[in-house]
Amino acid sequence: MNTTNNTSKLVILGLMTGILLLMAYTPLGYLNIGPLAITFNVIPVAIAAITLGPAGGAAIGAVFGMTSFLQCIGIGGSSAMGAMLFSINPFLAFVQRFVPRMLDGLLLGYIFQFVRRRTDAYMASLVTGFCSAFLNTVFFMTALVVLFGNTEYMQGLIGGKNIILFVCGFVGINAVCEMVSSTILTGAVGAALYRAKFVPALEKSRG
């Protein structure tokens, strides 16, 4: 039984890794609407957290973080901001790109388990999907401001604004669209996987 369960987890882990890499390195992971670029790459991280728990979420989050960092050096795409941050401090650029995504996946596993004990799988998946995009944005922007906020590059972007106003203006409607899409898609996929028994059943807590 344990062997079958472990095999199933490895299959899901490999599948989510493959899907994330496909989305990260093809237009499938992004929806470009005029100047907007909305990413769906947070969704495989959420699905991994739902099906595999905190460790699985962290693993796929780490894959997401690595693909994001590699774009700083032009591998699998390019990021103008990432390239600039890499030129300022390669190590801090790695931390800023990698750690928030891995931490996001780790926490999503706990969030799903916590909510699942108090409601059904569909609602727990919806909450996890929302948190996937929300926490990704919060952690990414927090790391950006903390690690690079005093650099000339970031000071130029901030332009003397209040830091909260800068963050809200910087992420803009992109973050809102990502949260909506991640919530809806993760909710649907998570509920389907639960019905297919790919999600471990949890007993609701009493009292």
Side-chain angles (χ1 to χ4, degrees):
M1 186 67 176
N2 286 336
T3 301
T4 302
N5 188 43
N6 290 336
T7 300
S8 177
K9 288 182 177 180
L10 286 174
V11 169
I12 294 173
L13 185 64
L15 181 61
M16 289 301 105
T17 300
I19 290 174
L20 180 55
L21 291 175
L22 179 66
M23 294 174 69
Y25 294 133
T26 69
L28 293 176
Y30 300 90
L31 176 62
N32 295 307
I33 305 176
L36 302 179
I38 301 168
T39 179
F40 301 113
N41 293 339
V42 293
I43 297 174
V45 179
I47 298 301
I50 289 171
T51 55
L52 303 174
I60 301 303
V63 174
F64 180 22
M66 184 58 68
T67 62
S68 179
F69 172 70
L70 290 176
Q71 289 180 348
C72 296
I73 53 178
I75 298 178
S78 61
S79 167
M81 171 179 281
M84 178 59 70
L85 298 181
F86 185 85
S87 69
I88 295 172
N89 189 313
F91 175 73
L92 291 183
F94 173 79
V95 172
Q96 191 267 335
R97 294 278 162 155
F98 182 82
V99 174
R101 275 60 189 264
M102 185 176 68
L103 182 60
D104 184 24
L106 176 69
L107 292 181
L108 290 176
Y110 290 113
I111 289 171
F112 176 79
Q113 292 174 359
F114 177 82
V115 179
R116 178 67 189 96
R117 290 189 177 96
R118 290 156 177 79
T119 184
D120 57 50
Y122 178 62
M123 182 57 66
S125 297
L126 286 175
V127 172
T128 304
F130 171 80
C131 290
S132 181
F134 176 74
L135 292 179
N136 176 65
T137 300
V138 170
F139 292 156
F140 182 87
M141 292 304 299
T142 299
L144 177 64
V145 171
V146 170
L147 298 177
F148 293 96
N150 291 327
T151 63
E152 183 179 348
Y153 171 69
M154 282 301 299
Q155 287 298 313
L157 289 179
I158 295 172
K161 301 187 188 78
N162 175 278
I163 194 65
I164 301 298
L165 294 178
F166 162 72
V167 170
C168 292
F170 191 80
V171 298
I173 195 172
N174 296 47
V176 175
C177 293
E178 288 172 8
M179 290 173 202
V180 171
S181 62
S182 181
T183 299
I184 295 173
L185 293 175
T186 302
V189 174
L193 290 174
Y194 181 79
R195 288 194 296 270
K197 302 188 184 304
F198 283 106
V199 180
L202 294 174
E203 293 183 1
K204 293 183 180 180
S205 61
R206 298 180 180 179

